[in-house]
Amino acid sequence: MNPRVRNDLAIAVAVIGLVAASLAIVVGKVDLGFNFYGDGDLLRIADVRPNSPADREGFRAGMVVTSVNDQPLVILPQYVYPEVSEPTLEPEPTLEPGPTVEPTAAPSEVPATSSPAPSASPGASTTTGPGDSPAASGSTVPSSPGPSSSPVAPSPTVSAAPTPSPAVPEPTPNGGAGGGEPTEVPQPTPYLDPPSPRIVNADGIALVSESPNINALEAVSGTDLLTPGHGDWMVTYLGRWYAGDLGGRTAGLLVGALLLMAAVLFASLLGPSLRPLAAPLAAATATPLLTLPLLATWSSPAVALVGVLLPLAMVPLGDALADRIVDPEVRRGARLTIVASAASAITLGLTQPLQGISSPSGGFLFYLLVALIPLAPVVGSVVATRANPAAVAADGGPVQSTELVMAGGTPVAALATAMFWNPFLLPLSAWLAAIAVGGRLTVRPLARLLSRARLQRDLVVAATEAERARVAADIHDDALQELTLLVRRLDAAGDTESAEMTRGVIERLRAICGDLRLPLLDDLGVGPALDWLVQRMDGSNGQIRLERTDTVRPPREVELAFFRVAQEALANATRHGRPPIVVRYQADEAGAALTVDDAGPGIDPGAADAAEQAGRFGLLNMRQRAEQIGAILDVRPWPGGGTHVGLQWRPQ
C-alpha cells in the first residue's frame, strides 16, 4: 500500500470514529433491546433482542411491566406485618416501714377460770402504719374482764424493730415478675396489601412512547401476576447504570482525542523507524477508545459501525509493519493474514448486529481477529529474524525490531482497555509505562551502540567512494593521457600492432574508471547507468536483459547504492551463473526495487550469512551498501536453480 494512501486511510477512520462518538454522546440514547405491546390495561414486553441489556438482565417476552422510569403501572400485593406493641407492666405496691413504739403493759384482770388471752411472746414487735389508731400506737391496752377474773402480772416492755419492706421483682422480657413464668405475647397475622394486583396507570403504551429514554424498568412474569394470594414476587429489574454508562464512556473519547493530538504534535520526536508509522499507529491506538460511546448505546447501527471502523483502523499499521519484514515469503504471509483477519472481523462485526445481536462488536472473537492485524507482521518479523540472523542489520538492528514490537503491541493494549473499561485505563497505561521503562533501560543503550556502528559503517563506505574517485581521477588524468600520446607516436612510427594493443589498454582503463566513478550516474540517474552497465557487460550477445520502469529519481546516495549492488550482482552472475540473466529496476514515489536473477547452479543457502567469515567481499559490500541507505537486501538460491539478488528501498 502506498504510504500516502496508508496515512490518509488511518486519518479518515480516526476522524469518522471521533465524529460518530461525539454525536452518540450529544444526541444518542441507549437501546435496551425490547419492544412493548398493550394487553388490555396491562403493558407487556413483546420481544427481547438477543444479548441486549434486557436479555442480560433476564427480561423475557410476555412479561408484565410494573414500572417505567420509576413510575408505577401495577402495584403488586406485598405481605404487611403489623407492628407488635410492648406490654405495660403494673408495679407492685411498696410497703413503707412504720414508727417504732414501746407499749406499756397495764395490769388487767382476767377471769380466774378462763384461759389466758394470747399475747405477744417476748421479743415480738408491733408494727403500725400511719393509719393506725392512737391506742394501737403507744397506749396501754387492758384485757377484757371476764366473769371471774384475777389479777395478772403486767407484761414486760418490748421494743418493736423496724421490718424492711419486701423488694419488688424486676419485670422479665416476657412481662412476668422475677422468678415467675414468661408471658407469651401474641404475634399479629400478616396480610396482603393490596389483596390483588392493582393497576394504577392503564396507559403504559403512551408512557413508553412519550419517554425519550427508558432508563429503568421493572417487570414480572404473567403467571405470577395471575397467582391468587401470592406475595413473593420475582421482579426483574433493569437499573439506570446502562444509561449512565454512556456518559461514563466520555472519558474514552477524550483520551482517544488526546492520543491523536499527541501524535500530530510529537511525531517529529519519534525515531526514524517509527516516524513513518506516526499516523497509522495513532489511529490504531485511538480508535478503540474513540468508539467506546458508540458501544455504550447498544444500538445495532452503532455497533455495526464499530465493527467496520476497528479493523480498518488496524490495516494501515499492519501494512506498514509488514513492509519491515526482510523475507519476502514471510512478508507475503503476513499480508495475507492481515487481509484475512480484517475481512473476517468486518464480516463478524456487521452480521451479528444485522441479526439482532447487540453484543459490542461480536465479543471476544471479534477483538481477537482485530488484534491479529497488527500482531501478524510483528510475529512475522521475529520469525524472519530468527530464520535469517544476518537480516537483522538490514532490518534496522535490534533497536528497530524492539520498536516494531512496541508499535504492534500498543493497539492491542488499547483493544484490551476498550474491552475491560476502567478509570485507570488498564492495560494501556501499564503497557505505556513498560515501554517507558524498557526504553530507558534497554533500548537507549542499544541505540547508542547501534548509532556508533552505523557511523563507522558510513565512514567506511564514504572513504571507499572517496578512494574510488581518487583512483579514477589519477587514471584518467595520468595514465590515460600518457597512453593516448603513446598511441599517436606509434601510429606516426608505423607500428600499427603496438598502437592497437595500446588502444585496448586505454579502453580497459576507461572501463575501470567508469566502474570506479561513472559521470552518467550523477547526470542521468541509475536507470541510464544500468543501461550502460548491461550493454558493457553483455555487448550484443543478448544474454543479459534489463527491464526498467523508473518514473522518478531516488536520492543520490540511493542511486549510488543501487548501482554498486547491481554491478556486483551482475559480475557474480556472469562469473558463476548461466544465462539468461534478467535485471529489473523499478522506481516511483513509493520507493525503488532492484532484482538480478540468473539460471546458474545457485548460491549456497548460508553463503550470504557467512560472507564476512568466508571472505566474500562482494556480498559483504552489497550488505554494507544496503545498510547505509536503510534498504532490505535479499540474497538466496531459487528452488529450481539460479540465484536471486533483491534490493528494496522505501523513503523514510
Side-chain angles (χ1 to χ4, degrees), residues 327-364:
D327 193 331
E329 297 296 329
V330 178
R331 182 168 62 248
R332 189 177 302 110
R335 284 205 165 96
L336 290 177
T337 304
I338 292 172
V339 173
S341 300
S344 301
I346 292 175
T347 302
L348 183 61
L350 283 176
T351 55
Q352 289 202 356
L354 293 178
Q355 293 173 359
I357 301 175
S358 58
S359 175
S361 301
F364 178 77

Side-chain angles (χ1 to χ4, degrees), residues 172-208:
T172 62
N174 291 330
E181 293 294 331
T183 303
E184 293 185 1
V185 179
Q187 298 294 332
T189 302
Y191 61 92
L192 289 175
D193 183 28
S196 61
R198 179 161 54 91
I199 299 175
V200 296
N201 189 348
D203 200 4
I205 290 292
L207 181 61
V208 297

